[in-house]
Amino acid sequence: MHTDLLTAQALAERLLITAGVPAPAAAQQAELLVVAEAKGMPSHGLLRLPRLLRRLANGTASPTSTGRHHWSGPSYLTVDGEQGLGPVVAVRALEAIVPAAEQYGVAVCSITNNNHLGMLGYYAGRMADRGLVCLGITTSEALVHPWGGTEAMLGTNPLALAVPARPAPLVLDMATSQISMGKVHDHALRGVPLEPGWALDAKGNETIDPDAAKDGSIAPFGGAKGYGLGLGLGAMVTFLTGAAYGTAVGGTLDDDHLSNKGDLFILLSGGGGRHSTTEYLDQVRRSRPADPASPVAVPGDGARTRYHESVAHGIEIADDLWRELTALDAERREAVLAD
């Protein structure tokens, strides 16, 4: 299904509002889902919405919570997300620590009991647009097998890093696994096989079948190095937030468990180095490419290009997903009229 961003955003907002989410929070959550679609990350886009609606319906996600804040120090904020919507809780927490980062040079917020954040680069890029370096890390269910192992023992444990530059910041957004489990679900939804080496099935055998991979495990990226980075980041977030870790984590890929993973954001203000960063990134872009038809890019360039193309030409949503969302919208409109 081909649609424009405004239509997709309006549909997502309506569904969230009829699920009891206040309009501003619905707009925040819907924006993140649609921006993910527009930037070419459907694994973190609208396919997450049906599950989120089910979680709202059964009480494992709160439509109104925005997080309870406690300052452990002048620049360290701890947040109990109280099972609120991930973007709503995270954006409010980040906005709260911006003044501390600007005053002290560094500020941290650690978040527990928060629902799925979605695309981490969304948050890091927002902060870099404000002139702040941002590092964001989150944990997930045990989806990744250790290097040399066959069982899912650690999360995809993604990280995002954004550095201010002109005309747009450097934004690195990556999981420490070969792919996200959301991408596995997206491939299954579209009927597209996985690439070899991405995943194992439940018996520990390599598979390209995304449905088999759902019950198996994902490979760490870069072999032992990706495994070590994912394990280390997960351990750090767990140590600082007190959240669950590894096989004890739940609540971002199911309907029935409260979310108990951890989120960590670090903001840093610098000494006005945006110009030198811009100059260096431009030097990298101008460096000699392996293929003259494909200029060198830096992290964030591709996503930004895809976003502008999506604004101009719209986005493709899997037909089954679009039918599901529009059917839910029709059902809820009928229910409102019946009341």
Side-chain angles (χ1 to χ4, degrees):
M1 170 65 190
H2 189 84
T3 186
D4 62 275
L5 270 60
L6 291 178
T7 299
Q9 169 105 11
L11 174 60
E13 285 188 39
R14 285 197 305 272
L15 287 168
L16 289 162
I17 289 170
T18 56
V21 179
Q28 180 76 77
Q29 175 69 69
E31 178 182 278
L32 182 136
L33 297 175
V34 173
V35 168
E37 294 283 354
K39 290 191 172 184
M41 295 182 66
S43 60
H44 289 62
L46 291 168
L47 73 79
R48 300 272 179 171
L49 185 53
R51 171 170 286 123
L52 181 54
L53 294 171
R54 294 192 295 271
R55 290 180 63 80
L56 288 165
N58 66 22
T60 50
S62 166
T64 57
S65 296
T66 60
R68 179 160 43 87
H69 290 191
H70 172 72
W71 287 93
S72 301
S75 60
Y76 198 109
L77 177 68
T78 60
V79 179
D80 181 345
E82 298 180 320
Q83 299 303 323
L85 300 181
V88 175
V89 172
V91 168
R92 179 177 176 235
L94 281 165
E95 291 294 334
I97 66 171
V98 165
E102 292 173 339
Q103 180 175 357
Y104 300 109
V106 60
V108 179
C109 63
S110 64
I111 308 174
T112 55
N113 302 320
N114 191 26
N115 275 280
H116 191 251
L117 288 180
M119 184 175 58
L120 271 181
Y122 172 84
Y123 308 95
R126 284 172 64 106
M127 293 296 101
D129 285 338
R130 303 271 291 270
L132 297 167
V133 170
C134 179
L135 175 66
I137 313 167
T138 188
T139 56
S140 78
E141 285 91 340
L143 301 169
V144 180
H145 63 78
W147 174 245
T150 59
E151 297 179 88
M153 295 300 297
L154 60 151
T156 56
N157 299 348
L159 66 91
L161 171 66
V163 181
R166 294 187 176 91
L170 165 72
V171 181
L172 172 67
D173 186 349
M174 56 173 280
T176 55
S177 54
Q178 284 279 10
I179 54 173
S180 68
M181 183 54 76
K183 190 164 187 174
V184 172
H185 283 258
D186 179 61
H187 276 242
L189 185 66
R190 297 173 188 271
V192 177
L194 304 176
E195 294 290 331
W198 279 2
L200 305 178
D201 64 18
K203 294 181 179 179
N205 300 312
E206 187 173 314
T207 184
I208 61 171
D209 180 354
D211 287 309
K214 290 179 186 178
D215 299 319
S217 60
I218 304 169
F221 91 92
K225 292 183 179 180
Y227 160 57
L229 182 61
L231 190 68
L233 291 175
M236 180 177 74
V237 172
T238 302
F239 181 83
L240 293 173
T241 64
Y245 186 59
T247 57
V249 177
T252 67
L253 288 170
D254 63 74
D255 302 343
D256 306 316
H257 295 89
L258 295 175
S259 179
N260 61 357
K261 48 83 178 174
D263 310 317
L264 183 72
F265 288 98
I266 302 170
L267 297 184
L268 300 128
S269 61
R274 186 181 301 207
H275 176 73
S276 59
T277 302
T278 300
E279 187 176 87
Y280 174 59
L281 295 180
D282 286 342
Q283 288 176 4
V284 172
R285 292 185 181 101
R286 291 193 301 267
S287 65
R288 185 172 61 251
D291 179 359
S294 299
V296 175
V298 301
D301 286 355
R304 189 163 53 254
T305 297
R306 290 189 293 273
Y307 179 78
H308 291 314
E309 289 174 350
S310 296
V311 170
H313 304 296
I315 52 177
E316 288 291 335
I317 308 295
D319 289 341
D320 288 348
L321 175 60
W322 189 256
R323 281 193 290 268
E324 181 180 4
L325 294 176
T326 53
L328 286 171
D329 188 36
E331 289 172 11
R332 293 177 185 229
R333 287 190 184 197
E334 290 175 7
V336 170
L337 291 173
D339 289 342

